[in-house]
Amino acid sequence: MENAKYFNDSRVKITVEDVRKRYPEFGVGSLLGDENGEAVAYEVMNYGEITSFARRDREGLVEIVLPGTLAPSLNGRALWPLDCNAHKGNHPYGKEFTERIAVGVFHRGYEKHCFGLVPGRFRFDNGGIIFQVEPNPLSDSVDAILFYADGNMKSYGGVNKLACFNIGNTGLYGMVIPLNHLVEPYQAFTGHSIVWLRNMMADGLSSYLAQIA
């Protein structure tokens, strides 16, 4: 697909020093290694209170796994996840897509919050949660989004059986939303397909990257 090629051609390589500088309040580690012994992914970790359906709230490790390359940003070298203030309404995965989710979470007060999202996949691990970022929404591995904001999303997450959490004392909150949840009845994109969601995010990212070219 043209969008995928455009995205892949524009990816920005990041280093562990870049990650540590960007996330000073997090533990940072390197993962894996290519044939040259270089890291191809980075762990960004902090503890938070995790809420998930049918379980008591608990303290657990929140881990975000970043790939070794990210999309470029309008305001810097790389488009970093968890940066609520960077987008200023110009959301990389599409303003309409992102704001429709924000409306579902915060209702009429959504404009009072800073928020963003990134696609990827997730799993639970020993009571904690791991979200692996995949900046290209057309990737077959993408089955969820990480929606992050400056406000607690516990009331929405509990009602909709979604996992949500705060991230230490950073003032950041996250929620993992599977793509299949977004197309269920009465949700933000009822009646659409997961392929449609991926393409909508890809179109948003393509428009965002076109501003850089």
Side-chain angles (χ1 to χ4, degrees), residues 91 93-111 113 115-119 144-149 153 156-157 160 162 175-179 181-183 186-190 196-197 200-201:
H91 293 286
Y93 291 98
K95 180 179 175 67
E96 179 185 357
F97 183 84
T98 306
E99 290 191 350
R100 282 178 69 173
I101 295 170
V103 169
V105 174
F106 295 118
H107 305 294
R108 292 183 179 179
Y110 86 96
E111 292 177 318
H113 293 279
F115 50 83
L117 62 83
V118 65
I145 60 168
L146 172 62
F147 182 79
Y148 50 88
M153 297 175 275
Y156 179 84
N160 290 286
L162 303 176
M175 178 184 299
V176 174
I177 309 178
L179 295 184
H181 170 81
L182 291 173
V183 299
Y186 310 111
Q187 299 307 321
F189 299 99
T190 300
W196 186 90
L197 294 181
M200 190 173 185
M201 285 190 284

Side-chain angles (χ1 to χ4, degrees), residues 1-134:
M1 284 186 161
E2 184 177 348
N3 283 346
K5 182 179 186 303
Y6 187 22
F7 170 75
N8 289 329
D9 288 348
S10 65
R11 292 179 80 146
V12 175
K13 183 176 176 59
I14 59 174
T15 68
V16 68
E17 289 77 19
D18 295 330
V19 180
R20 287 175 178 153
K21 183 177 180 180
R22 179 60 191 81
Y23 300 104
E25 298 173 300
F26 292 74
V28 174
S30 301
L31 278 177
L32 310 177
D34 61 15
E35 60 274 13
N36 298 316
E38 295 184 1
V40 295
Y42 303 98
E43 298 171 303
V44 178
M45 299 165 284
N46 203 334
Y47 281 93
E49 184 179 75
I50 300 173
T51 299
S52 54
F53 183 68
R55 298 187 64 174
R56 288 186 177 182
D57 293 358
R58 63 197 184 278
E59 184 179 75
L61 188 64
V62 176
E63 179 179 334
I64 313 297
V65 180
L66 303 175
T69 56
L70 295 172
S73 170
L74 297 180
N75 300 319
R77 199 173 74 85
L79 184 61
W80 296 100
L82 304 181
D83 192 346
C84 292
N85 297 309
H87 310 314
K88 298 179 181 178
N90 191 0
H91 293 286
Y93 291 98
K95 180 179 175 67
E96 179 185 357
F97 183 84
T98 306
E99 290 191 350
R100 282 178 69 173
I101 295 170
V103 169
V105 174
F106 295 118
H107 305 294
R108 292 183 179 179
Y110 86 96
E111 292 177 318
K112 299 177 183 178
H113 293 279
C114 294
F115 50 83
L117 62 83
V118 65
R121 59 187 183 273
F122 78 102
R123 61 185 172 89
F124 295 104
D125 183 59
N126 293 323
I129 190 165
I130 299 174
F131 188 91
Q132 187 157 350
V133 172
E134 173 45 74

Side-chain angles (χ1 to χ4, degrees), residues 1 3 93 97 119-120 136-144 179 193-205:
M1 284 186 161
N3 283 346
Y93 291 98
F97 183 84
N136 182 1
L138 296 177
S139 170
D140 290 339
S141 66
V142 172
D143 63 9
L179 295 184
S193 68
I194 290 176
V195 171
W196 186 90
L197 294 181
R198 287 175 176 165
N199 283 323
M200 190 173 185
M201 285 190 284
D203 288 343
L205 184 59

